[in-house]
């Protein structure tokens, strides 16, 4: 009975180990999905960094054009002032162009500040993503170790289950052998009783034969004396 219970418990343990292995596999798939998403985030951040660099290069060109335009507008204003009454309208246009160049330059600086902030955020995100990536790698390694442990447990449980089944089978065989021995002992006991009864009858017969022999010897002596 104990061997049978051990076999059942071993089979239940093996089933639990297989279930744990399945759960670990699902968790590993989930971690692999997270790793892919992290890699995608890293790729997007790198691409965003490249785009910000390209935008910064374009802003440099725009800022240079605004500066050149501002210089030209100032020269035009000076020339218009030298032209007297005829250059007043041109001076107004030149002044508006200069103001526009100043606004473009100011906007360029604001955009550059935003791009710098974006680069800083990208770098921070990259660092956090790298940390998360390392954590994912560590988690993957740990899950791998746990998976290996579950596989070893499953293998050991399978071995234990087979041993328990062999013990159960051997116990059943021993039980059958014991029953056969009990039956043989019963037969021997019965034969012993029969032998004992037969021995008693033989002893009684021998005693009777001895008595008859004694009587016969007495008769013979009497006959010889006569």
């Amino acid at each position: 009975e104990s061997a049978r219970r051990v076999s059942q418990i071993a089979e239940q343990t093996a089933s639990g180990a297989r279930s744990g292995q399945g759960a670990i596999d699902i968790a590993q798939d989930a971690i692999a999905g997270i790793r892919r998403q992290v890699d995608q985030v890293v790729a997007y951040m790198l691409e965003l960094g490249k785009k910000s660099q390209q935008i910064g290069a374009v802003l440099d060109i725009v800022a240079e054009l605004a500066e050149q335009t501002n210089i030209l507008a100032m020269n035009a204003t000076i020339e218009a002032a030298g032209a007297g009454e005829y250059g007043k309208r041109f001076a107004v246009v030149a002044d508006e162009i200069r103001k526009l160049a100043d606004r473009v330059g100011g906007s360029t600086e604001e955009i550059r500040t935003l791009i710098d902030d974006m680069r800083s955020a990208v770098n921070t995100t990259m660092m956090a993503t790298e940390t998360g990536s390392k954590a994912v790698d560590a988690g993957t390694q740990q899950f791998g170790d746990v998976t290996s442990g579950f596989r070893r447990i499953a293998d050991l449980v399978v071995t234990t289950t087979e041993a328990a089944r062999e013990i159960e089978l051997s116990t059943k065989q021993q039980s059958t052998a014991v029953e056969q021995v009990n039956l043989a002992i019963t037969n021997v006991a019965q034969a012993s009783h029969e032998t004992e009864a037969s021995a008693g009858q033989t002893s009684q017969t021998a005693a009777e034969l001895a008595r008859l022999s004694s009587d016969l010897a007495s008769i013979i002596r009497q006959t010889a004396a006569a």
Side-chain angles (χ1 to χ4, degrees):
E1 181 65 20
S2 297
R4 185 182 63 82
R5 287 199 299 270
V6 169
S7 178
Q8 291 177 351
I9 293 172
E11 290 180 356
Q12 293 174 358
T13 305
S15 178
R18 287 191 294 269
S19 300
Q21 178 67 43
I24 290 296
D25 291 337
I26 293 174
Q28 276 190 319
D29 293 338
I31 288 182
I34 294 174
R35 178 55 193 250
R36 289 192 296 269
Q37 293 178 355
V38 169
D39 291 339
Q40 288 180 355
V41 170
V42 171
Y44 292 152
M45 290 296 102
L46 291 175
E47 186 65 23
L48 185 58
K50 292 179 181 178
K51 296 296 184 183
S52 64
Q53 291 178 353
Q54 294 175 359
I55 294 174
V58 173
L59 282 178
D60 290 338
I61 296 174
V62 172
E64 185 177 358
L65 290 175
E67 184 178 357
Q68 294 294 330
T69 302
N70 195 2
I71 292 173
L72 291 175
M74 291 178 62
N75 291 333
T77 301
I78 294 172
E79 293 295 331
E85 188 67 24
Y86 298 100
K88 287 183 178 181
R89 292 182 179 179
F90 186 72
V92 173
V93 174
D95 185 61
E96 293 297 327
I97 292 175
R98 185 180 58 80
K99 292 179 181 179
L100 179 60
D102 290 338
R103 287 198 299 270
V104 171
S107 300
T108 302
E109 291 301 324
E110 292 178 358
I111 296 173
R112 191 183 304 279
T113 301
L114 293 175
I115 290 177
D116 291 338
D117 293 340
M118 184 179 65
R119 287 179 179 175
S120 177
V122 168
N123 291 332
T124 303
T125 304
M126 287 288 293
M127 293 176 62
T129 304
E130 184 178 359
T131 302
S133 179
K134 291 180 180 179
V136 170
D137 291 338
T140 302
Q141 180 64 35
Q142 292 176 355
F143 268 103
D145 295 339
V146 172
T147 301
S148 299
F150 264 102
R151 287 175 180 172
R152 287 194 296 270
I153 291 173
D155 293 338
L156 292 174
V157 168
V158 169
T159 303
T160 303
T161 303
E162 293 176 354
R165 288 175 180 173
E166 292 177 357
I167 292 172
E168 183 180 8
L169 179 60
S170 177
T171 304
K172 288 181 179 179
Q173 292 175 350
Q174 292 175 6
S175 177
T176 302
V178 168
E179 290 177 357
Q180 293 176 354
V181 171
N182 287 333
L183 180 59
I185 291 174
T186 301
N187 294 332
V188 170
Q190 184 177 358
S192 298
H193 290 130
E194 293 175 354
T195 302
E196 183 180 0
S198 177
Q201 292 177 357
T202 301
S203 176
Q204 184 178 359
T205 302
E208 184 66 23
L209 289 175
R211 187 183 62 78
L212 291 175
S213 296
S214 178
D215 292 341
L216 180 60
S218 179
I219 294 171
I220 291 174
R221 285 194 299 272
Q222 291 176 359
T223 301

